[in-house]
Amino acid sequence: YDKAIEISPSEANFYVNRGNLKMSINDYSGALQDLNKALYFNPADTLAYLNRSYVKSFFKDKQGALDDLNMAIEINSHYALAYFDRGNLKKEIIDLPGALEDYNKTIELNSQFTNAYFGIALIKTDLNELQTALQNYDKVLSINPHYSIAYNNRALIKVSLKDFGGALQDYN
């Protein structure tokens, strides 16, 4: 990417791509510099905001990550992944109602987004709303029957509900 940037130093996509590469080799400081540069050249680049939110989360800057996700959503209100990631961040900072709202918005935008159902199931389990958690694990598994951790988590709930036969089916 260095050569591409040398030739076209104001092309935001090159900085986003190099920032992604730097994230993949754990050079988060370099990734942050590249993503900042990408946003300097293209302040409407939703992918740059999304990826910069990952870097800021890595650096424990939760508010900065949340701000970037909010900006990505402000630019593109149909960006399901940004809602999902914001839901994850809100879950992490214990804003469970906000996380549920974002997971539900993710599903509204993409009904096959299994990880959003999974996130809801985790929260509903934490809130001891086990039937709702089960329904969400059922949805995860109807979309992706190879999602092994969903079988495990669903079985744990079934054990809590004394549905030992159902739990055994999930474990088998």
Side-chain angles (χ1 to χ4, degrees), residues 18-169:
R18 189 172 70 179
N20 291 343
L21 178 61
K22 287 179 179 179
M23 281 193 303
S24 71
I25 61 170
N26 298 320
D27 177 6
Y28 290 97
S29 294
L32 183 61
Q33 289 174 350
D34 279 342
L35 294 166
N36 286 339
K37 192 80 139 186
L39 289 166
Y40 172 79
F41 289 118
N42 182 3
D45 190 325
T46 55
L47 182 59
Y49 282 110
L50 185 79
N51 290 343
R52 192 172 72 171
S53 78
Y54 301 149
V55 173
K56 288 181 177 181
S57 286
F58 174 81
F59 286 122
K60 308 291 187 231
D61 179 7
K62 303 299 181 196
Q63 187 58 54
L66 189 60
D67 291 344
D68 279 351
L69 291 167
N70 288 338
M71 184 59 75
I73 289 167
E74 183 178 317
I75 293 166
N76 179 359
S77 63
H78 293 90
Y79 198 179
L81 183 57
Y83 283 101
F84 174 73
D85 287 342
R86 190 173 72 176
N88 285 340
L89 185 57
K90 287 180 178 180
K91 182 180 183 300
E92 195 175 313
I93 62 174
I94 320 297
D95 175 8
L96 299 184
L100 286 170
E101 182 179 330
D102 281 343
Y103 289 149
N104 282 313
K105 182 66 176 181
T106 303
I107 292 165
E108 178 186 318
L109 295 169
N110 179 355
S111 65
Q112 301 299 299
F113 205 118
T114 54
N115 286 338
Y117 294 103
F118 191 87
I120 292 170
L122 290 174
I123 291 172
K124 293 300 184 176
T125 302
D126 289 345
L127 297 174
N128 205 34
E129 297 176 20
L130 300 182
Q131 290 299 330
T132 305
L134 273 179
Q135 291 167 357
N136 280 277
Y137 284 127
D138 289 345
K139 185 64 177 177
V140 168
L141 293 167
S142 74
I143 297 168
N144 180 0
H146 303 290
Y147 204 136
S148 59
I149 192 72
Y151 284 108
N152 181 74
N153 290 4
R154 187 173 73 174
L156 291 171
I157 291 172
K158 288 178 178 180
V159 168
S160 296
L161 296 172
K162 308 228 182 296
D163 176 9
F164 302 113
L168 189 56
Q169 279 184 323

